[in-house]
Amino acid sequence: MFSDLDFDLEEDKLGIPTVPGTVTLKKDQQNLIGISIGGGAQYCPCLYIVQVFDNTPASVDGTLAAGDEITGVNCKSVKGKTKVEVAKMIQNVKEEVTIHYNKLQADPKQGKSLDIVLKKVKHRLVENVSSGTADALGLSRAILCNDGLVKRLEELERTAELYKGLMEHTRRLLRAFFDLSQTHRAFGDVFSVIGVREPQPSASEAFVKFADAHRNIEKFGIRMLKTIKPMLNDLNTYLNKAIPDTKLTIRKYLDVKFEYLSYCLKVKEMDDEEYSCIALGEPLYRVGTGNYEYRLVLRCRQEARARFAKMRKDVLEKVELLDQKHVQDIVFQLQRFVSTMSQYYTDCYAVLRDADVFPIEVDLARTTLTYGQKDIFTDGAEDEEEEEHQDQKEKIQTEENGEKLIDDA
């Protein structure tokens, strides 16, 4: 590109230091070491590594990285050669090849420019726009729309709504059964008083037996509440801890993915700029001075890709574990709920079947006379006051026992 000029431009390293080194790599069965090469004559004074491919000798060794300059192959200098010539030099060497390089000591923060930040923002926006709008922005929606983890995030939202509904329904059910248990207790107290006051022995025994049955039903209800209430704690842990933690991990993964895509887009833009200048025969300063800016972006892209791959693996494992927990947990909770309710109804049926005291013969004349001698008719105000006092007393006793069966919420 600068061949027509009568002077050579010095390399513009952008303040990025380089460290020379040598590495020997054993080739794979395809006679490859797993790198792609860029730069070289006639446009760039440097030959550099564009990409290190996964699961290749270069990747396994880990010494070479994108952006590093190749200075020689098997002790032969590559200065002034094209990238095709250097690739043939490497291919002509059998089994093991020695690469001489200048390691680019790049700071990833230096490559994270405002342009990269803006590209991340555009990638975030493109998830919710049409393909036409995405194409107009120069963004590819393929890797975004086809990402299974994004769909997993939507599934987590639906699962969270399911657990919210289960928790709300369970709370209401517990509240209803608690009220029902209190009603059975009240019935037991009333029938007990009637049984004590009833002058006829057979009727008195029947009322007392029926009162005991209601009190037993109240005990069965309390036992059922104690068994089912931990279900709320388990559902709450899954809903408010496990699901939010996984959603946060997926959002972090998306942030890493957007950064990687931003560097990919930046590399493409710089490639297009270089091809355009070559086609027009115009010089490009960064290319003629070693293309260090481009090599810095290549390094940042490689590191972003490594973070992206690691984060994706971690997220997939976490989501898989969460799915397993969801299936196992929901089955266990429903089994516990159904078995507890079944036991409750079985116990209630057995108690009521044993308390078969009907019909109860009562002498209303004697009963009315007995009650009339001892009781005074009131307008009900005093009875309500006494009931309120009794409820307060029971509430205090419950709080003193330290056992709260129903949540306030």
Side-chain angles (χ1 to χ4, degrees):
M1 186 176 297
F2 293 92
S3 58
D4 296 336
L5 300 179
D6 56 357
F7 62 91
D8 294 329
L9 293 177
E10 294 183 359
E11 290 186 5
D12 185 1
K13 295 185 176 181
L14 304 177
I16 303 174
T18 57
V19 178
T22 301
V23 61
T24 300
L25 301 174
K26 185 176 181 179
K27 291 188 172 184
D28 60 14
Q29 296 179 352
Q30 287 76 34
N31 195 37
L32 301 174
I33 61 174
I35 63 173
S36 62
I37 303 173
Q42 60 183 349
Y43 305 108
C44 182
C46 297
L47 283 141
Y48 47 82
I49 297 174
V50 175
Q51 185 175 356
V52 178
F53 298 101
D54 294 335
N55 302 319
T56 59
S59 173
V60 174
D61 180 80
T63 302
L64 298 177
D68 291 345
E69 180 185 1
I70 298 177
T71 59
V73 176
N74 279 10
C75 300
K76 295 180 182 179
S77 175
V78 298
K79 186 173 181 61
K81 296 184 180 298
T82 65
K83 57 185 179 183
V84 176
E85 292 173 339
V86 174
K88 288 182 178 179
M89 289 175 63
I90 296 175
Q91 290 176 353
N92 291 334
V93 179
K94 303 302 180 182
E95 295 186 358
E96 288 188 352
V97 59
T98 300
I99 303 295
H100 306 272
Y101 62 88
N102 284 331
K103 171 67 71 175
L104 194 70
Q105 302 292 318
D107 183 3
K109 294 181 180 178
Q110 188 176 353
K112 193 173 183 179
S113 61
L114 177 61
D115 187 34
I116 297 297
V117 175
L118 293 177
K119 283 179 169 56
K120 283 181 64 175
V121 174
K122 287 196 293 185
H123 276 105
R124 288 184 182 277
L125 295 175
V126 80
E127 285 187 302
N128 302 316
V129 301
S130 63
S131 299
T133 306
D135 293 339
L137 292 173
L139 301 174
S140 172
R141 302 180 78 246
I143 194 171
L144 295 173
C145 298
N146 298 329
D147 192 344
L149 287 177
V150 176
K151 297 178 181 179
R152 289 291 186 95
L153 187 59
E154 297 174 356
E155 293 176 1
L156 281 178
E157 296 288 352
R158 292 193 293 269
T159 303
E161 291 299 322
L162 170 65
Y163 272 75
K164 286 179 183 178
L166 283 174
M167 290 183 63
E168 182 63 26
H169 181 73
T170 305
R171 284 196 184 100
R172 292 179 179 179
L173 191 67
L174 292 179
R175 170 60 65 182
F177 270 99
F178 178 77
D179 294 339
L180 182 62
S181 298
Q182 297 306 302
T183 302
H184 283 131
R185 178 179 178 179
F187 270 118
D189 293 342
V190 170
F191 283 123
S192 178
V193 171
I194 294 175
V196 171
R197 293 183 177 183
E198 176 59 47
Q200 301 179 52
S202 60
S204 175
E205 182 181 357
F207 280 123
V208 171
K209 187 175 183 180
F210 201 53
D212 291 339
H214 280 79
R215 287 172 174 168
N216 286 330
I217 292 176
E218 187 256 346
K219 292 178 181 179
F220 297 151
I222 297 299
R223 185 180 64 188
M224 180 199 67
L225 293 176
K226 289 181 178 180
T227 304
I228 293 181
K229 189 179 178 182
M231 175 179 172
L232 284 175
N233 297 330
D234 295 340
L235 293 176
N236 185 66
T237 300
Y238 185 86
L239 176 63
N240 296 318
K241 291 184 179 180
I243 290 182
D245 180 63
T246 304
K247 288 166 64 176
L248 178 62
T249 304
I250 292 179
R251 289 192 176 96
K252 290 180 179 179
Y253 154 78
L254 292 176
D255 184 72
V256 172
K257 182 181 76 170
F258 293 146
E259 183 172 330
Y260 168 58
L261 292 177
S262 299
Y263 283 116
C264 291
L265 183 58
K266 181 66 175 178
V267 169
K268 183 179 183 302
E269 290 178 351
M270 298 179 80
D271 284 338
D272 292 342
E273 180 187 25
E274 185 175 343
Y275 297 149
S276 177
C277 290
I278 292 174
L280 296 174
E282 297 178 354
L284 189 59
Y285 177 79
R286 65 171 172 83
V287 176
T289 55
N291 217 358
Y292 279 85
E293 181 184 357
Y294 180 70
R295 290 159 59 185
L296 174 62
V297 175
L298 290 176
R299 174 63 62 81
C300 291
R301 183 184 69 170
Q302 176 179 304
E303 294 181 357
R305 186 180 186 280
R307 292 194 299 271
F308 166 69
K310 182 179 182 303
M311 182 65 74
R312 183 176 180 81
K313 179 182 178 182
D314 293 343
V315 171
L316 286 173
E317 291 177 353
K318 180 170 287 190
V319 170
E320 185 67 26
L321 291 174
L322 190 67
D323 286 344
Q324 293 178 3
K325 178 176 173 55
H326 164 60
V327 174
Q328 296 172 357
D329 190 60
I330 200 70
V331 170
F332 170 74
Q333 300 298 349
L334 290 177
Q335 286 178 342
R336 176 165 64 175
F337 177 79
V338 171
S339 62
T340 303
M341 294 295 295
S342 176
Q343 185 64 39
Y344 170 75
Y345 284 117
T346 301
D347 293 340
C348 291
Y349 175 77
V351 166
L352 291 176
R353 183 184 58 189
D354 294 339
D356 186 11
V357 296
F358 297 99
I360 301 176
E361 296 182 1
V362 178
D363 188 345
L364 295 179
R366 291 180 58 192
T367 302
T368 303
L369 180 62
T370 304
Y371 290 162
Q373 292 175 352
K374 297 182 180 179
D375 298 338
I376 300 176
F377 176 78
T378 64
D379 59 359
E382 293 181 1
D383 294 338
E384 292 178 359
E385 194 172 334
E386 182 179 356
E387 289 177 3
E388 184 177 358
H389 178 71
Q390 182 68 20
D391 289 340
Q392 277 189 337
K393 183 177 179 182
E394 292 174 358
K395 183 178 179 181
I396 293 173
Q397 289 176 349
T398 303
E399 292 177 352
E400 288 178 351
N401 291 334
E403 185 162 11
K404 189 175 182 183
L405 295 175
I406 301 298
D407 295 330
D408 295 333

